[in-house]
Amino acid sequence: MFKRKWSSLPAETEFPADLKGLGYFINKDDEVRSMENEDNYFKFFINRNLRICYRQRFAMNQAIQDEIHRRLADDHGLSKVFLPLLTGDGAPPAASVPIFVSAKIEGKSRVVMIFGETHQDLGVLAHRVLGGKGGIEKGSLVSVVRALLQQHCSPTDDAPPGIILANMGELIWWPEGGRTLSKSAFDATPMRSAAHVGNHINPKVNYVSGHETPAAHVKYIFECVVPRFVGDTAGLDIIGLGDGADVVESYLNSTVVWDRVGNRINCFASVGGQFPAWEVKCAGLLEFLRHRARAYVPSNATPGLVLSGPSGNTMTTIFTSLGCPVFSAGEDKHVETLLITSYPTVLDWLQEVADGSAPGRPYENPIFQVDYWEDANVSGSWAGSEEKENGPTDGAEAGEGIDAGVARLKIITRDGVVGMDDVDQGKPTFMEMGAWT
């Protein structure tokens, strides 16, 4: 009887986890290019065997992430902290999840917390940008951190805000590599042989205590990391990306949780989140979303153009029933690229909240009123009606209907009407700081 030994099976293909060894380099435009031909970006299909392609991409992603982490640490002063051990010196002695925390965060009066998508690596926004047009800084949180460090905490505090980068995607412990990985990266780690089916996740081995799921990780950040590193009087600005925003909102959607941390949150920016308003059961969170939260959703309209108020817009295919004012992120195809196009707008609003808050008078969103009516000079125009309070209950969506008709935007603050003007897709009149062009 024929018997084949395990040792006779074909070995996994190995690739070096550095750009030079993979045949790539970072050019003057901060883009990853091929050393053989500088006009070429990263090439995924190098073999008919897809497993070999995945193994090469795994090595490439690790090399790019090392460069991102180096820039965050060396250029911007962020430190890697390992959870749940909370030790930042050297390699973690046991299974742990890394996050990034800015220097001297304990003395900051404002701290910005960023929760990424649940499938992305720490510090990564979009690999399609990292390995293609745009480059390292644009496709990662390096650009966002750089912009945040140019802000100030408040009108009376010129210091830049503190920063915490949560790790929503890399929650699977890889013992052989001594680090956590995302699900797609774990699937691409070396198998016993190239003939094996795949890598099995053993909950007892591959899960980190207290970080088994993104929801558990969010809970640990709020209940352990914030009390440990952030001052008792510091306010929290929260940015959630994609499904990461939904996980954060789910955590806050509890009266017990909200009573404990709600008074510390300055504002919440949901970039690509889809948590519906009717799922919000906590009255405190619902009121907070209306007055101090904003959503930035996929849309080809100019970034920052208001699409709807908290009541939603029923005349658009874009989901706007999010319980807060809704704005265009300037990108209509990929959630992972929303912050890349909209982060200047999002961060400007965070700064507006910080500058517009005062003791006893916290920041509140203006009341956004969008009216749509038919333009006689344009065929196929949308017709709509005036919104009563915080968003259009009828009428065309601002990113789509403007092509066919005209919209008029009115912003009302607690002190009165800021301004009113016609809106067209080529020249939006709304500015995040409340100014009018």
Side-chain angles (χ1 to χ4, degrees):
M1 180 177 179
F2 176 76
K3 180 180 180 181
R4 186 166 189 173
K5 297 182 179 180
W6 287 105
S7 59
S8 66
L9 294 176
E12 275 271 60
T13 305
E14 296 291 340
F15 293 92
D18 68 272
L19 291 177
K20 185 176 180 180
L22 291 167
Y24 292 88
F25 74 104
I26 301 174
N27 68 3
K28 59 182 178 61
D29 297 323
D30 202 34
E31 295 181 341
V32 176
R33 297 297 184 100
S34 171
M35 297 175 66
E36 292 183 355
N37 187 340
E38 297 184 8
D39 293 333
N40 292 341
Y41 293 110
F42 171 66
K43 182 179 180 180
F44 172 74
F45 292 104
I46 60 171
N47 194 283
R48 291 184 178 181
N49 186 338
L50 278 180
R51 177 63 184 176
I52 295 177
C53 301
Y54 291 138
R55 291 285 296 132
Q56 184 213 204
R57 184 175 64 181
F58 172 78
M60 172 62 74
N61 289 352
Q62 301 304 304
I64 291 178
Q65 190 183 38
D66 288 344
E67 175 64 20
I68 294 172
H69 289 188
R70 184 196 65 78
R71 296 186 186 189
L72 290 173
D74 297 346
D75 300 344
H76 302 301
L78 273 65
S79 300
K80 189 176 288 188
V81 175
F82 297 98
L83 310 178
L85 300 177
L86 296 179
T87 58
D89 301 327
S96 55
V97 176
I99 64 172
F100 273 104
V101 176
S102 62
K104 301 179 181 179
I105 193 173
E106 64 280 354
K108 302 294 185 180
S109 61
R110 178 165 75 102
V111 174
V112 180
M113 305 169 63
I114 302 179
F115 297 86
E117 294 184 89
T118 61
H119 63 275
Q120 293 288 12
D121 301 331
L122 177 61
V124 171
L125 288 176
H127 277 292
R128 71 179 71 244
V129 177
L130 288 170
K133 185 177 182 180
I136 304 295
E137 183 161 326
K138 184 176 181 180
S140 71
L141 285 173
V142 173
S143 55
V144 180
V145 169
R146 182 189 298 276
L148 280 172
L149 293 178
Q150 296 174 356
Q151 293 191 346
H152 54 267
C153 288
S154 70
T156 59
D157 185 354
D158 291 333
I163 301 171
I164 295 176
L165 305 183
N167 193 347
M168 300 289 282
E170 295 180 320
L171 301 178
I172 303 175
W173 179 252
W174 178 34
E176 294 79 5
R179 57 164 298 174
T180 52
L181 299 170
S182 64
K183 180 61 170 64
S184 59
F186 184 80
D187 289 341
T189 56
M191 299 185 297
R192 292 179 60 186
S193 76
H196 276 71
V197 176
N199 292 311
H200 172 68
I201 296 178
N202 184 342
K204 295 182 179 180
V205 176
N206 301 117
Y207 285 156
V208 180
S209 177
H211 303 268
E212 297 84 358
T213 64
H217 181 66
V218 168
K219 182 176 186 293
Y220 193 93
I221 292 289
F222 276 98
E223 299 181 8
C224 298
V225 174
V226 170
R228 168 71 181 273
F229 291 98
V230 181
D232 295 336
T233 60
L236 305 176
D237 296 356
I238 301 174
I239 300 176
L241 310 181
D243 56 352
D246 297 342
V247 176
V248 173
E249 204 165 336
S250 296
Y251 170 75
L252 297 175
N253 191 23
S254 163
T255 302
V256 175
V257 171
W258 188 255
D259 290 343
R260 183 172 62 248
V261 303
N263 63 331
R264 300 197 61 178
I265 303 176
N266 298 325
C267 57
F268 174 55
S270 172
V271 184
Q274 295 287 299
F275 198 89
W278 58 80
E279 291 290 342
V280 180
K281 306 303 181 183
C282 175
L285 175 61
L286 190 63
E287 185 72 10
F288 172 87
L289 291 174
R290 175 174 291 271
H291 294 298
R292 284 190 283 164
R294 292 188 180 184
Y296 298 84
V297 299
S299 171
N300 59 7
T302 305
L305 184 67
V306 62
L307 305 179
S308 170
S311 56
N313 182 354
T314 60
M315 296 299 291
T316 175
T317 56
I318 297 176
F319 182 68
T320 57
S321 298
L322 299 170
C324 62
V326 180
F327 298 81
S328 168
E331 159 66 43
D332 63 345
K333 294 181 176 63
H334 308 292
V335 172
E336 65 181 11
T337 60
L338 293 185
L339 191 63
I340 295 176
T341 57
S342 66
Y343 82 85
T345 302
V346 175
L347 300 190
D348 281 351
W349 178 63
L350 264 59
Q351 187 65 73
E352 179 185 347
V353 173
D355 292 340
S357 300
R361 195 173 188 269
Y363 172 91
E364 286 189 7
N365 280 320
I367 297 174
F368 298 98
Q369 178 175 310
V370 184
D371 301 334
Y372 296 91
W373 66 90
E374 185 175 356
D375 184 352
N377 296 325
V378 182
S379 60
S381 300
W382 290 81
S385 61
E386 182 176 330
E387 184 212 12
K388 294 182 179 180
E389 184 186 359
N390 279 328
T393 57
D394 206 356
E397 187 271 325
E400 298 170 355
I402 291 173
D403 285 336
V406 180
R408 171 157 289 181
L409 170 64
K410 179 190 291 183
I411 296 181
I412 306 174
T413 69
R414 290 174 293 184
D415 302 320
V417 177
V418 174
M420 176 183 290
D421 204 348
D422 291 346
V423 177
D424 61 76
Q425 191 165 359
K427 184 184 178 183
T429 56
F430 174 71
M431 301 286 289
E432 282 293 332
M433 298 302 292
W436 290 82
T437 57

